[in-house]
Amino acid sequence: MAGILLLNGPNLNMLGLRQPEVYGRDTLEDVVRLATTTARAFGLDLEARQSNLEGELVTWIQQARGAFDAIIINPGAYSHTSVAILDALNIFEGPVLEVHISNIHKRESFRHHSYVSLRAEGVIAGCGVQGYDLAVRRVAGILQN
């Protein structure tokens, strides 16, 4: 079975409570359940992790080499600031999909740029938590080819 590492960055542990008008009422547990169900439907394993710490996310990405076939990442605010996460993703050999619950291009101008997008095979933004489902489906398609 191919494996997907699902990473969520800072403040995503507060989904359901944090700005529900922007991020909705689904919790991170709801997101993980959705992504896991979709992955299983394609015969894929999925492991989900969340951290508010940039270095921990970098370490997990480094450890994913040879352990996972793909990474789906919602780097949260680190999208716009973290060259370290970009550098770690550039070491990873499999596909990377970037997910944002809100449409970052309709928000403050500083959110319009993502370092992670420079590495990602695809970016899904503004689809709410359904974006995670779409990302798993896209990864499944890439891995099948």
Side-chain angles (χ1 to χ4, degrees):
M1 253 190 199
I4 300 170
L5 178 60
L6 172 60
L7 295 177
N8 282 284
N11 297 311
L12 289 160
N13 58 312
M14 300 305 292
L15 283 176
L17 299 173
R18 176 186 176 215
Q19 294 179 277
E21 70 281 2
V22 174
Y23 299 104
R25 299 235 177 253
D26 291 305
T27 65
L28 184 57
E29 293 77 23
D30 296 329
V31 167
V32 171
R33 189 171 27 259
L34 171 65
T36 300
T37 299
T38 304
R40 286 184 184 147
F42 286 94
L44 300 169
D45 285 329
L46 183 137
E47 182 174 323
R49 302 177 190 171
Q50 185 278 330
S51 181
N52 294 318
L53 305 175
E54 181 181 28
E56 190 165 37
L57 292 165
V58 167
T59 297
W60 289 339
I61 294 165
Q62 291 171 350
Q63 292 170 346
R65 283 190 61 164
F68 292 94
D69 300 300
I71 294 174
I72 296 172
I73 183 168
N74 182 341
Y78 290 137
S79 308
H80 323 295
T81 63
S82 184
V83 174
I85 289 175
L86 170 62
D87 287 347
L89 288 169
N90 281 332
I91 298 167
F92 182 73
E93 292 131 346
V96 173
L97 267 284
E98 180 181 3
V99 175
H100 296 281
I101 295 169
S102 68
N103 183 348
I104 60 174
H105 304 289
K106 288 182 77 173
R107 298 186 65 195
E108 304 93 338
S109 61
F110 71 85
R111 294 185 195 274
H112 298 177
H113 177 266
S114 169
Y115 286 100
V116 172
S117 295
L118 296 171
R119 169 57 178 88
E121 275 70 25
V123 179
I124 300 168
C127 296
V129 297
Q130 185 186 8
Y132 290 89
D133 173 77
L134 297 170
V136 172
R137 290 173 184 277
R138 180 64 186 129
V139 164
I142 292 170
L143 294 177
Q144 288 173 353
N145 288 333

